Amino acid sequence: ACFLVWFVFGCRGGVEQWKSIMWLLLQTILLILLYFSLSYAVSSSDIISPSCQLQGQFNLNGNKKTGDVILGGLFPVHFFTSVPDLSFISDPQQPKCHGFYELGFRLAQTMAFAIDEINSNSNLLPNVTLGYTLYDNCINLGIGFRAALSLASGQEEKIILDNTCIGNPPVLGIVGDSPSAHSTAISSILGLYRVPMVSYFSTCSCLSNHQKYPSFFRTIPSDVFQVRAMIHILKHFGWTWAGLLVSDDDYGLHAARFLQSELSRSGEGCLAYFEVLPWDKDADELRRIVNVMKTSTARVVIVFAHESGMINLMEEVVRQNVTGLQWMASEAWTAAAVLQTPQLMPYLGGTLGIAIRHGEIPGLREFLLKTRPNLHHNNSYGNSMVNQFWEFTFQCRFAPAPPGWLEGGGALCTGKEDLEKVDTEFLDISNLRPEYNVYKAVYAFAHSLDDMLQCVPGRGPFSGHNCATLQSLEPWQLLYYLERVNFTTKFGDQVSFDENGDVVPIYDVMNWLWLPDGSTEVQNVGEVKRSAFKGEELILDEDKIFWNFDSRKPPRSVCSESCPSGTHMVRKKWEPKCCFDCIPCSEGKITNKSNSFECTSCPEDFWSNPQRDYCVPKKTEFLSYHEPLGICLAATSLLGTFICAVVLGIFFYHRRTPIIRASNSELSFQLLLSLKLCFLCSLLFIGRPMMWTCQLRHAAFGISFVLCVSCILVKTMVVLAVFKASKPGGGASLKWFGAMQQRGTVLFLTAIQAAICTTWLVSSSPTPHKNTQYHNDKIVYECAVGSTVGFGVLLGYIGVLAVLSFLIAFLVRNLPDSFNEAKLITFSMLIFCAVWVAFVPVYISSPGNRADAVEVFAILASGFGLLITLFGPKCYIIIMRPELNTKRAIMCRGTES
């Protein structure tokens, strides 16, 4: 046809038409090829089906039950796994599990029981049947990961592609896993798809991160709370020095990190050593670790490890015979029956452990007794775990038996064996701990689903106020309700999750009791819990605790004993802060109760007692009326005042006698009055200093003594004037020393001192002062002079007047008079100056109240010196020698001279 077209039109159209015809020909050929390729694809559709096949199917031990909603479970039903050949020269065999763990199987059966109980409860999830798919993780991360992926994606060999396919994923949630390392790895993947996972045994604090593990929850408290529970016990018994052993995994290492952090933050204790237990049985490493324990002074050993690690450790402990230790167990091995043997109890007896909360699950034992094998399973997926349990419990094998089993005397299982006749730990429900957590995890899922089904259309929590439906339920929708679930178990425990997916924490405190018959009992002796009102609290029944020591009392485990009162701690170099020396506090300081590493100084008015444990008021010291010195000085002052009064009375009574008149009676009366003031002012220096006494004492002292010395000076000047007047042409000198001039001179000289005192008091007044420089343990009350210049001017002025009086009296000492008073004035001024010259250095060098005593003594000494020297001879003549008290006697003496 193409050739014909070319022949008809090509010859006529030229080159351009020829190109168009060739392009049409090429398009036609391509359409023919596409037609044949589509025909081939349609014809081959019967050979290749439109389906998606699994890369491989995992051979897992499991147990399952169908239902409207399926929950998954991961449990440690076997201890060990055999590693397959990974040479990849043939299809690798999958790992096989061995070492049946009946308590792990009981965990799986507890989940099955909880689901059956929920299905029979008309008040919870009515018209909804829960099913389950349970897998054995063999305590192996790889197998646990395979099981989790199988639960999340299903185990069907192929999935038919259907655009109209709707329904739930294989499981809506998973109960598990047990080891923290498993949960960390698995939840990292499941969290991407928001598949909820509620663990019953993973305690690692690393999982308390809802940003990193958004779909992870747990019904067992975090290691954070377990560590705090350990610290509460350490604090309760005063154990500040402990060793720490941990397993080499997330569980142990995170617990160790947090324990160290909490001990450092709280200051409640220190770690004597920190060792990581090897996974395998490394004899050299275990020997080294036990040697560290043996040589350490710490008597408390905290162990965050699993049963297998403890078994290896205890073999070496027994070999080296390390006794006298108080063990503290984490929840991973607190209830480990494998360690409660007669060989290990001499070492582990008295162990205190943190245990998962014990709970009661009514009806569980009856359910366990109904466990029956499937005789038609042929070791295939489905109920293989039950059959393996049956073989383990009755030591038989289902047909077909392994080669050599029957020849070796082994029995075949019939499935009719009676569980009640077998002594098995599987049926012992007296101590349900992880089982109780499994029970709570299943009920958490059930209550979340029930809350979801209670949603009212149009008022739901999702976009558009929609509700989730069971037919199209997505795992992330279930997460919404799981985060908000809140219910109470039949045992009375509240179950809810915080923002990190952690349950309300509570732990039991267990004690390993070693009975006299050699048997062992793990008894509950208390609990550690957190409540909204009381916070974290430890409740212990100490009377029930068994201590594996001769004293039957808690051991002492400290690096250094607490420092006694009056001392402070000084940390030993290169050692933890719990190791220290006790150094006595210095004087004036006491033990600091808030910081034991330093002493605190007492307040200013207080001093440390001899024991340095509390501050006492400092002793106060001042010149008191109650002490002997004060009493003596006060009595002497009053005595001087009294004598002045007596002399004044004598002078007044004999005022008309010649000897009184010859001694200038008016000035004598003024002098006696000033001496009385001098004696009385000394009383102001005795007693507790107060503002008014401090201001008055020096002013009164200065003015009274100036008044006294002024009278003596004027009297001396009068004597000199009389002597000059007795000479020819000297009569004019007496007119300057009349009675008015004498009074004016005394008043003027005293006014100068009054001005000095006023200026001193106004500018820098003396004030009471508490002096602690002389004695650290005493407060010396004294009057601070305020201005040393003012005090110096006051004393200097008195000294100037005294020196003038002395000089003038000295000059006229030999006047021809029967009673020459100049000699007496000279002698009195000599005593006065001597006293006050000696006063200055003694006053300066005398501390505290001694300075006041020195000043009082100087006042009294100078006062008595003046009184005796000036008035003693006169009183003697007046009283004892009245015959000399005549004008004739006085004048005759002068003539003889």
Side-chain angles (χ1 to χ4, degrees):
C2 293
F3 177 77
L4 182 60
V5 170
W6 171 77
F7 181 77
V8 173
F9 298 100
C11 296
R12 298 179 182 180
V15 177
E16 293 298 327
Q17 289 184 346
W18 169 248
K19 289 181 180 180
S20 300
I21 293 171
M22 293 303 295
W23 174 243
L24 178 64
L25 177 63
L26 180 60
Q27 288 179 327
T28 303
I29 294 172
L30 289 175
L31 286 173
I32 293 172
L33 290 175
L34 178 62
Y35 169 77
F36 278 109
S37 64
L38 289 174
S39 300
Y40 176 78
V42 173
S43 65
S44 62
S45 61
D46 295 334
I47 300 173
I48 302 175
S49 117
S51 64
C52 177
Q53 295 184 347
L54 291 174
Q55 281 285 80
Q57 189 175 25
F58 301 133
N59 184 18
L60 301 167
N61 298 320
N63 191 7
K64 70 175 182 178
K65 180 180 180 179
T66 59
D68 299 327
V69 176
I70 305 298
L71 296 179
L74 300 175
F75 301 98
V77 182
H78 287 85
F79 276 117
F80 309 106
T81 57
S82 58
V83 181
D85 178 24
L86 297 177
S87 61
F88 301 109
I89 59 176
S90 62
D91 187 12
Q93 298 295 314
Q94 296 195 24
K96 295 183 179 180
C97 303
H98 57 91
F100 193 83
Y101 182 38
E102 57 183 339
L103 296 184
F105 178 65
R106 188 171 70 184
L107 292 173
Q109 290 299 92
T110 301
M111 179 172 176
F113 165 76
I115 289 178
D116 280 2
E117 187 179 63
I118 292 168
N119 287 336
S120 62
N121 186 352
S122 60
N123 296 321
L124 185 61
L125 291 177
N127 303 320
V128 176
T129 301
L130 291 180
Y132 55 79
T133 299
L134 313 179
Y135 284 141
D136 175 15
N137 62 23
C138 303
I139 318 182
N140 181 280
L141 177 58
I143 295 177
F145 216 108
R146 290 183 175 95
L149 292 178
S150 298
L151 291 172
S153 60
Q155 278 277 65
E156 291 78 3
E157 292 188 7
K158 67 178 181 179
I159 303 171
I160 304 300
L161 298 177
D162 187 353
N163 292 333
T164 63
C165 178
I166 60 172
N168 299 326
V171 294
L172 278 178
I174 297 175
V175 176
D177 199 350
S178 50
S180 295
H182 293 199
S183 295
T184 302
I186 294 171
S187 60
S188 297
I189 302 301
L190 297 186
L192 300 175
Y193 303 98
R194 302 301 190 261
V195 176
M197 179 177 178
V198 182
S199 175
Y200 53 89
F201 212 69
S202 297
T203 61
C204 180
S205 59
C206 58
L207 290 164
S208 295
N209 186 342
H210 225 43
Q211 296 296 320
K212 190 174 182 181
Y213 308 105
S215 63
F216 179 81
F217 302 83
R218 51 183 161 193
T219 53
I220 185 172
S222 162
D223 279 336
V224 168
F225 187 71
Q226 183 177 188
V227 166
R228 287 176 179 160
M230 292 277 196
I231 293 176
H232 279 299
I233 296 174
L234 291 174
K235 181 180 179 181
H236 181 82
F237 291 108
W239 296 333
T240 59
W241 190 235
L244 177 63
L245 306 177
V246 300
S247 56
D248 190 10
D249 57 7
D250 286 343
Y251 171 73
L253 297 178
H254 278 86
R257 187 178 302 117
F258 190 73
L259 178 64
Q260 290 175 309
S261 173
E262 281 293 293
L263 287 177
S264 176
R265 183 189 62 81
S266 65
E268 300 294 346
C270 305
L271 294 180
Y273 53 85
F274 166 43
E275 299 292 340
V276 179
L277 298 175
W279 271 111
D280 54 351
K281 195 173 181 179
D282 188 339
D284 293 336
E285 180 65 8
L286 289 171
R287 188 180 304 110
R288 185 193 66 79
I289 292 174
V290 174
N291 279 331
V292 171
M293 297 167 55
K294 191 174 182 179
T295 57
S296 174
T297 58
R299 300 187 66 189
V300 174
V301 183
I302 304 171
V303 185
F304 281 88
H306 307 284
E307 295 179 17
S308 57
M310 279 300 298
I311 292 172
N312 296 334
L313 174 68
M314 291 312 299
E315 288 178 359
E316 184 61 28
V317 169
V318 172
R319 194 187 69 80
Q320 296 194 31
N321 192 29
V322 182
T323 59
L325 296 178
Q326 175 63 49
W327 296 82
M328 292 185 66
S330 66
E331 41 76 29
W333 65 279
T334 292
V338 69
L339 296 171
Q340 300 165 23
T341 63
Q343 294 78 22
L344 297 182
M345 284 308 291
Y347 305 90
L348 292 176
T351 295
L352 287 174
I354 302 297
I356 302 169
R357 174 68 167 171
H358 166 265
E360 299 287 345
I361 306 179
L364 177 60
R365 191 174 191 278
E366 291 73 16
F367 179 83
L368 297 178
L369 284 171
K370 296 177 183 178
T371 302
R372 287 292 181 273
N374 184 355
L375 300 180
H376 305 289
H377 74 293
N378 195 24
N379 288 329
S380 64
Y381 161 78
N383 293 307
S384 57
M385 283 196 304
V386 178
N387 289 14
Q388 290 169 358
F389 159 73
W390 206 262
E391 291 179 342
F392 171 79
T393 302
F394 296 103
Q395 294 299 300
C396 60
R397 294 292 182 271
F398 286 101
W405 175 258
L406 296 176
E407 292 78 358
L412 286 176
C413 299
T414 64
K416 297 180 181 179
E417 291 83 1
D418 191 354
L419 276 175
E420 283 195 293
K421 294 182 179 180
V422 180
D423 183 14
T424 172
E425 199 174 358
F426 176 71
L427 297 174
D428 181 11
I429 62 169
S430 61
N431 193 29
L432 299 177
R433 296 186 183 278
E435 293 84 358
Y436 187 48
N437 285 343
V438 172
Y439 185 79
K440 291 189 290 185
V442 175
Y443 266 86
F445 276 117
H447 279 279
S448 300
L449 285 168
D450 191 63
D451 292 342
M452 182 199 73
L453 295 177
Q454 302 298 325
C455 178
V456 177
R459 300 171 65 180
F462 306 114
S463 59
H465 300 289
N466 292 324
C467 295
T469 62
L470 199 62
Q471 292 73 24
S472 59
L473 177 62
E474 295 289 342
W476 61 266
Q477 293 175 317
L478 183 60
L479 269 178
Y480 173 84
Y481 290 97
L482 193 59
E483 287 178 342
R484 292 159 178 79
V485 73
N486 193 335
F487 65 95
T488 303
T489 67
K490 296 178 181 178
F491 195 59
D493 289 331
Q494 181 188 3
V495 179
S496 62
F497 302 108
D498 63 14
E499 65 277 4
N500 293 317
D502 291 325
V503 74
V504 176
I506 182 170
Y507 272 116
D508 289 337
V509 181
M510 310 303 293
N511 177 235
W512 289 21
L513 176 62
W514 191 14
L515 300 174
D517 60 359
S519 60
T520 303
E521 178 185 345
V522 180
Q523 58 177 351
N524 191 328
V525 294
E527 65 181 15
V528 187
K529 62 182 179 181
R530 179 192 296 160
S531 62
F533 302 103
K534 296 183 179 180
E536 296 177 6
E537 60 176 333
L538 169 67
I539 302 172
L540 280 180
D541 186 356
E542 293 191 46
D543 295 334
K544 291 176 61 178
I545 299 178
F546 168 74
W547 302 106
N548 194 25
F549 303 96
D550 294 336
S551 64
R552 294 293 184 253
K553 293 180 180 179
R556 289 285 296 164
S557 185
V558 295
C559 182
S560 299
E561 291 292 341
S562 299
C563 288
S565 297
T567 62
H568 69 283
M569 296 186 297
V570 175
R571 190 176 300 172
K572 294 182 179 179
K573 197 173 183 179
W574 311 118
E575 293 192 28
K577 64 181 180 181
C578 296
C579 303
F580 49 82
D581 294 318
C582 297
I583 306 300
C585 293
S586 58
E587 289 187 347
K589 295 185 177 182
I590 61 172
T591 302
N592 190 336
K593 295 181 180 179
S594 60
N595 184 0
S596 55
F597 283 95
E598 62 181 24
C599 296
T600 184
S601 298
C602 290
E604 183 180 3
D605 293 347
F606 290 81
W607 193 250
S608 58
N609 64 334
Q611 292 75 31
R612 309 284 200 277
D613 55 357
Y614 65 92
C615 294
V616 296
K618 286 183 178 180
K619 295 179 180 179
T620 57
E621 186 176 277
F622 54 89
L623 190 57
S624 172
Y625 287 106
H626 302 290
E627 62 176 301
L629 180 60
I631 294 173
C632 292
L633 293 176
T636 305
S637 174
L638 294 176
L639 177 62
T641 306
F642 176 74
I643 293 173
C644 287
V646 171
V647 173
L648 183 62
I650 294 172
F651 269 50
F652 183 78
Y653 183 77
H654 297 279
R655 64 185 179 280
R656 302 191 184 277
T657 59
I659 196 169
I660 301 298
R661 297 181 68 181
S663 61
N664 198 334
S665 59
E666 184 176 349
L667 286 177
S668 295
F669 287 135
Q670 291 180 5
L671 181 59
L672 284 171
L673 289 173
S674 65
L675 282 175
K676 286 181 66 175
L677 293 177
C678 290
F679 283 120
L680 290 175
C681 78
S682 63
L683 296 177
L684 295 173
F685 291 84
I686 305 174
R688 182 188 291 269
M690 292 180 284
M691 179 61 75
W692 71 272
T693 58
C694 288
Q695 291 177 339
L696 188 59
R697 62 167 59 173
H698 289 105
F701 154 71
I703 294 173
S704 60
F705 264 91
V706 164
L707 178 61
C708 177
V709 176
S710 297
C711 291
I712 295 173
L713 178 60
V714 171
K715 180 180 284 194
T716 307
M717 294 174 68
V718 169
V719 172
L720 180 60
V722 170
F723 171 70
K724 288 183 177 182
S726 63
K727 293 182 179 182
S733 60
L734 282 176
K735 68 178 181 179
W736 299 105
F737 290 97
M740 186 63 68
Q741 287 81 2
Q742 294 175 25
R743 296 189 200 104
T745 303
V746 171
L747 183 61
F748 175 74
L749 295 175
T750 305
I752 294 174
Q753 184 72 309
I756 293 172
C757 292
T758 302
T759 304
W760 179 20
L761 294 178
V762 171
S763 61
S764 181
S765 173
T767 56
H769 174 62
K770 296 178 181 179
N771 195 325
T772 57
Q773 296 179 356
Y774 304 128
H775 306 283
N776 290 327
D777 59 340
K778 293 180 182 179
I779 298 176
V780 178
Y781 284 96
E782 60 183 13
C783 288
V785 295
S787 172
T788 306
V789 174
F791 186 52
V793 171
L794 182 145
L795 290 178
Y797 183 63
I798 297 173
V800 168
L801 295 180
V803 170
L804 286 175
S805 299
F806 172 74
L807 292 176
I808 295 173
F810 181 78
L811 292 175
V812 297
R813 68 187 184 281
N814 294 320
L815 290 178
D817 194 348
S818 174
F819 186 79
N820 189 358
E821 199 173 15
K823 294 180 180 179
L824 300 179
I825 294 175
T826 302
F827 186 58
S828 65
M829 286 296 99
L830 185 61
I831 295 174
F832 185 87
C833 292
V835 168
W836 287 104
V837 167
F839 160 78
V840 174
V842 176
Y843 180 83
I844 293 174
S845 61
S846 297
N849 62 349
R850 304 304 172 193
D852 291 336
V854 168
E855 190 166 357
V856 172
F857 181 80
I859 293 172
L860 296 177
S862 58
F864 275 107
L866 294 176
L867 180 64
I868 293 171
T869 55
L870 292 177
F871 297 98
K874 297 181 179 69
C875 291
Y876 173 77
I877 293 173
I878 293 171
I879 297 172
M880 304 302 296
R881 301 291 299 274
E883 67 276 7
L884 297 179
N885 189 12
T886 63
K887 187 175 181 180
R888 179 180 179 82
I890 296 173
M891 296 304 293
C892 289
R893 184 180 177 91
T895 304
E896 293 173 358
S897 300

